[in-house]
Amino acid sequence: MKKLLASILSLGLAVTLAGCGGTGGKKSDSAASNKQLIGVAMPTQSLQRWNQDGANMKSELESKGYKVELQYANNDVNTQTQQLENMITKGCKVLVIASIDGSALSDVLKKAADNGVKVVAYDRLIMKSPNVDYYATFDNFKVGVIQGQYIEKQLGLKDGKGPFNIELFGGSPDDNNATFFYNGAMSILQPYIDNGKLVVSSGQKDFTTIAIQGWDSAKAQARMDNLITANYAKGKKLDAVLSPNDSLAIGIVASLKNAGYGSADKPYPILTGQDCDKPNVIAMINKQQSMSIFKDTRTLATKVVEMVDSLLQGKEASVNDTKTYNNGSKVVPSFLCDPVYADSSNYKQILIDSGYYKEADLK
Ligand code: BGC
């Protein structure tokens, strides 16, 4: 962990913030002089991306003169709620929250509002609460579209090739992002399922059936095991698997490997992912996973720090979407950063040249 944090910090923040149009780096005088406390609540340390998100947020906020209370909640909703209550009690002026269950925070956010504490939803929308000031994320629908397009291209579906066998996975149902990823991917894949060029042999297609609670790798592995046993025995091969993110992809690769994929006559299927976590980039280099959406957490952190600054200065933050993210209580003004994909052909340029990873991280 220490090594990871050190390498993240050493990355510096000098990278071009193209995706989010951030300004980065400039000290906010009011914050610097007051040393205002900002709470940053992250869901878990078990996935690399959230460690990076937390570390980036902390260092960016501190470089602007804020004090930071950073907490991880081990993917436990009650722990996260308690952490948020403590942050309010300690006098945090803004809470930056990557929620675990997007619908479970209404009470604690009411308490925040009663205490004049502002709230920024980080990466995941917080649902069913009017007390969310801004939302910063990557364009979640587009994430799914890029995954769907990758499968479309690699299989040559546009050229009329097929039929191919595919299985579909969805993210955690309590995460609002998960349906956006699914809907984005299906906007590309559904027409090929309808015309028979993509065949989902299990018949499991709707989001609730394919969703993996808690984005859990082991659950994804178990589901892939069951799908293979029930549908891909006797020489029938899988050509593609839609996985919304890297934690599921890791479990899916493990299952495929156990089932004998990875040989010359039984290559791994096209397999998507998201986050460019190190083990997954290594899996891409080893041709076990085909691609992963790259969401540069540095650009997201910079955008969120801008929102924090604006909230504390009573100014409006710059947003680029005021329509899409209705949390059931209001449409939350949002800033959507641009996702891109990395695969074995471009990862050096996307991940190493940008300073996100060092070549040695990927061994
Ligand atoms: C994030 C993904 C992440 C997933 C699991 C989603 O809300 O947008 O980047 O892979 O959660 O942590």
Side-chain angles (χ1 to χ4, degrees):
M1 177 52 57
K2 265 199 196 142
K3 207 171 144 207
L4 172 67
L5 294 185
S7 66
I8 291 161
L9 293 176
S10 74
L11 289 174
L13 298 161
V15 165
T16 320
L17 299 165
C20 282
T23 50
K26 256 197 253 155
K27 267 204 173 171
S28 142
D29 293 337
S30 57
S33 51
N34 294 338
K35 283 262 175 199
Q36 298 181 90
L37 186 61
I38 310 298
V40 178
M42 290 286 147
T44 175
Q45 283 190 294
S46 66
L47 281 194
Q48 184 199 326
R49 80 150 284 186
W50 300 114
N51 291 289
Q52 275 177 241
D53 286 285
N56 291 337
M57 279 304 303
K58 188 165 161 34
S59 68
E60 282 228 26
L61 284 166
E62 286 176 350
S63 79
K64 288 208 152 201
Y66 294 105
K67 283 191 290 177
V68 178
E69 171 81 11
L70 168 63
Q71 296 287 347
Y72 296 88
N74 201 19
N75 264 340
D76 182 66
V77 178
N78 291 334
T79 306
Q80 185 165 65
T81 306
Q82 275 164 20
Q83 290 173 341
L84 292 168
E85 280 179 358
N86 287 340
M87 289 172 183
I88 297 167
T89 310
K90 279 189 169 176
C92 287
K93 300 290 179 220
V94 181
L95 301 178
V96 175
I97 308 170
S99 58
I100 296 163
D101 178 341
S103 301
L105 300 178
S106 309
D107 290 349
V108 69
L109 292 202
K110 167 85 174 49
K111 194 168 169 187
D114 291 346
N115 284 275
V117 178
K118 304 289 183 193
V119 171
V120 178
Y122 184 99
D123 193 80
R124 298 171 171 173
L125 185 59
I126 301 172
M127 309 300 288
K128 298 183 188 159
S129 171
N131 302 310
V132 186
D133 295 283
Y134 289 112
Y135 177 38
T137 190
F138 283 81
D139 185 334
N140 294 303
F141 187 86
K142 190 168 173 188
V143 166
V145 168
I146 298 173
Q147 292 171 334
Q149 285 171 337
Y150 195 89
I151 291 174
E152 179 186 51
K153 177 140 192 255
Q154 296 301 314
L155 294 179
L157 292 167
K158 263 194 185 162
D159 305 328
K161 292 193 183 148
F164 295 105
N165 297 319
I166 187 168
E167 291 295 337
L168 312 169
F169 281 72
S172 192
D174 51 7
D175 181 345
N176 187 59
N177 288 353
T179 42
F180 277 83
F181 301 148
Y182 172 77
N183 289 334
M186 292 308 268
S187 73
I188 305 297
L189 300 178
Q190 187 68 53
Y192 298 109
I193 294 174
D194 292 343
N195 74 12
K197 293 292 185 182
L198 284 177
V199 179
V200 185
S201 295
S202 68
Q204 297 179 12
K205 286 176 268 196
D206 66 291
F207 177 74
T208 36
T209 315
I210 65 170
I212 301 290
Q213 181 65 42
W215 298 96
D216 188 296
S217 304
K219 287 189 181 133
Q221 181 171 353
R223 177 165 182 261
M224 191 74 248
D225 286 348
N226 291 338
L227 290 173
I228 291 173
T229 310
N231 305 287
Y232 298 92
K234 299 183 201 131
K236 188 169 172 187
K237 273 189 297 193
L238 257 170
D239 301 301
V241 180
L242 172 73
S243 166
N245 90 329
D246 281 357
S247 60
L248 303 198
I250 277 290
I252 293 165
V253 167
S255 172
L256 291 166
K257 197 174 190 178
N258 288 341
Y261 282 86
S263 61
D265 58 336
K266 201 175 172 188
Y268 281 99
I270 304 300
L271 172 62
T272 56
Q274 163 175 212
D275 294 335
C276 286
D277 280 349
K278 281 180 202 165
N280 298 77
V281 180
I282 293 168
M284 287 194 311
I285 295 167
N286 294 335
K287 307 271 188 234
Q288 297 169 322
Q289 179 174 335
S290 316
M291 63 85 91
S292 183
I293 299 289
F294 176 50
K295 307 200 299 194
D296 192 329
T297 51
R298 297 168 298 189
T299 57
L300 185 58
T302 302
K303 194 67 216 169
V304 173
V305 173
E306 275 176 46
M307 287 176 169
V308 169
D309 273 344
S310 301
L311 283 167
L312 290 176
Q313 290 163 20
K315 293 186 198 149
E316 287 205 358
S318 79
V319 293
N320 61 8
D321 188 308
T322 51
K323 290 200 183 93
T324 310
Y325 287 97
N326 187 330
N327 76 350
S329 180
K330 69 188 248 195
V331 176
V332 184
S334 306
F335 196 97
L336 311 184
C337 303
D338 222 12
V340 294
Y341 76 82
D343 67 4
S344 60
S345 72
N346 72 358
Y347 81 94
K348 285 195 176 151
Q349 180 201 339
I350 302 271
L351 301 173
I352 295 173
D353 296 353
S354 75
Y356 200 74
Y357 290 140
K358 296 198 184 74
E359 190 94 57
D361 293 332
L362 305 175
K363 298 254 151 53

